[in-house]
């Protein structure tokens, strides 16, 4: 335990943060396990249950995937951008965290508007759940960082390593999103036809964009070195591991020629 605490700031004197660190991790782990079991968040290729061949009527309705994705990312971006004015600080670590969060969600909004090709829908309850998760986690990561101001740095200062991880993650994620968008262009734009992705790490894993997204969320922890950001990075990892497993299983069920050597998330491993 003493060794672990060399990498993070002490737990903050906040019942909210300490409770949400546990509850958020548990909730995301549960969602990841639900993906493995076939109970998916209703967006992208999983907008309908795997057992259904016809479009599903969602309990609370649905809207276009583009609208849903914008709803997911804009509140978190606004929270990160507002933090520069609401919580002014000349602390370098805090500035790096604010910048990384704002840039990450700005990039996602840019992708929704300019890169991704959408033809499906998203369930309203899924959009609201994910929106709440991203917004609350962004606010809580920033709030958690306020408790570190004036404290002694952890024994191992990792923030510059975190910046490198962030750059690698965001570029890798963007590159593979561009490859997916090009695939949709080849399919005829709005026509909803799935093909096996090729190029980049798609030749070894079916969800390299998830792998780089995981790196981005771990970079938030490595930059901030707070317990809450560690909890959210771990929870996000659990969710995307489950989602990537479900995605590979979906491709195996749809394509007889799906390469068996192509893993779900980590090349040659998983």
């Amino acid at each position: 335990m003493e060794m672990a605490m060399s990498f993070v700031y002490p737990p903050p004197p906040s019942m909210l943060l300490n409770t949400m660190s546990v509850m958020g991790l548990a909730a995301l782990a549960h969602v990841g396990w639900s993906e493995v079991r076939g109970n998916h968040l209703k967006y992208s290729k999983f907008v309908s249950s795997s057992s259904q061949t016809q479009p599903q009527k969602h309990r609370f309705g649905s809207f276009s995937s583009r609208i849903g994705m914008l709803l997911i990312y804009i509140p978190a971006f606004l929270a990160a951008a507002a933090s520069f004015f609401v919580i002014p600080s000349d602390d370098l670590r805090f500035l790096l965290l604010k910048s990384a969060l704002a840039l990450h969600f700005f990039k996602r909004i840019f992708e929704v508007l300019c890169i991704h090709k959408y033809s499906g829908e998203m369930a309203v309850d899924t959009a609201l759940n994910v929106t709440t998760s991203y917004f609350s986690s962004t606010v809580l990561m920033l709030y958690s960082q306020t408790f570190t101001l004036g404290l002694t740095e952890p024994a191992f200062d990792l923030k510059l390593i975190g910046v490198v991880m962030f750059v690698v993650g965001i570029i890798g994620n963007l590159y593979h999103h561009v490859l997916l968008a090009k695939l949709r262009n080849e399919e005829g734009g709005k026509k909803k036809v799935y093909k096996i992705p090729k190029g980049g790490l798609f030749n070894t894993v079916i969800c390299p964009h998830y792998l780089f997204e995981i790196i981005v969320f771990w970079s938030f922890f490595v930059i901030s070195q707070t317990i809450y950001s560690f909890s959210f990075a771990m929870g996000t990892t659990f969710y995307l591991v489950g989602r990537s497993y479900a995605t590979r299983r979906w491709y195996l069920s749809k394509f007889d020629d799906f390469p068996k050597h192509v893993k779900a998330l980590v090349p040659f491993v998983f």
Side-chain angles (χ1 to χ4, degrees), residues 209-226:
H209 47 311
Y210 288 172
L211 174 62
F212 285 104
E213 186 168 0
I214 287 171
I215 292 173
V216 168
F217 277 94
W218 278 103
S219 78
F220 296 151
F221 161 65
V222 178
I223 289 172
S224 64
Q225 294 184 245
T226 63

Side-chain angles (χ1 to χ4, degrees), residues 46-79:
F46 297 114
V47 71
S48 296
S49 300
S50 58
S51 60
Q52 294 174 311
T53 57
Q54 299 298 322
Q56 180 181 0
K57 288 186 177 181
H58 303 290
R59 180 180 178 184
F60 299 103
S62 63
F63 34 46
S64 74
S65 293
R66 191 182 303 276
I67 296 299
M69 289 298 180
L70 287 174
L71 177 63
I72 284 172
Y73 298 128
I74 286 177
F77 167 71
L78 292 177

Side-chain angles (χ1 to χ4, degrees), residues 17-29:
L17 284 172
N18 293 326
T19 301
M20 290 304 296
S21 294
V22 176
M23 292 182 60
L25 174 58
L28 285 168

Side-chain angles (χ1 to χ4, degrees), residues 226-262:
T226 63
I227 291 175
Y228 179 80
S229 60
F230 171 83
S231 171
F232 192 73
M234 183 64 74
T236 300
T237 301
F238 283 140
Y239 166 63
L240 291 177
V241 166
R243 186 77 173 186
S244 66
Y245 176 86
T247 299
R248 183 177 186 273
R249 183 172 58 195
W250 184 90
Y251 274 99
L252 283 168
S253 72
K254 299 296 182 181
F255 298 94
D256 293 334
D257 59 341
F258 184 83
K260 299 301 188 292
H261 71 275
V262 173

Side-chain angles (χ1 to χ4, degrees), residues 127-218:
L128 293 178
N129 287 336
V130 181
T131 299
T132 301
S133 176
Y134 276 148
F135 176 77
S136 63
S137 64
T138 299
V139 170
L140 290 174
M141 271 192 270
L142 294 166
Y143 179 54
S144 179
Q145 205 65 34
T146 64
F147 287 95
T148 70
L149 299 177
L151 296 182
T152 302
E153 294 275 330
F156 296 95
D157 185 352
L158 304 176
K159 60 179 175 286
L160 296 183
I161 296 175
V163 171
V164 174
M165 290 176 60
F166 176 76
V167 171
V168 170
I170 203 168
I171 291 175
N173 182 260
L174 174 62
Y175 172 68
H176 288 92
H177 280 165
V178 170
L179 290 181
L180 286 174
K182 287 182 177 179
L183 188 65
R184 290 300 297 270
N185 285 335
E186 294 171 1
E187 294 165 356
K190 292 187 177 181
K191 186 179 179 182
K192 192 171 184 179
V193 178
Y194 286 102
K195 292 183 180 179
I196 301 172
K198 303 290 184 183
L201 289 183
F202 281 117
N203 296 327
T204 56
V205 293
I206 199 59
C207 294
H209 47 311
Y210 288 172
L211 174 62
F212 285 104
E213 186 168 0
I214 287 171
I215 292 173
V216 168
F217 277 94
W218 278 103

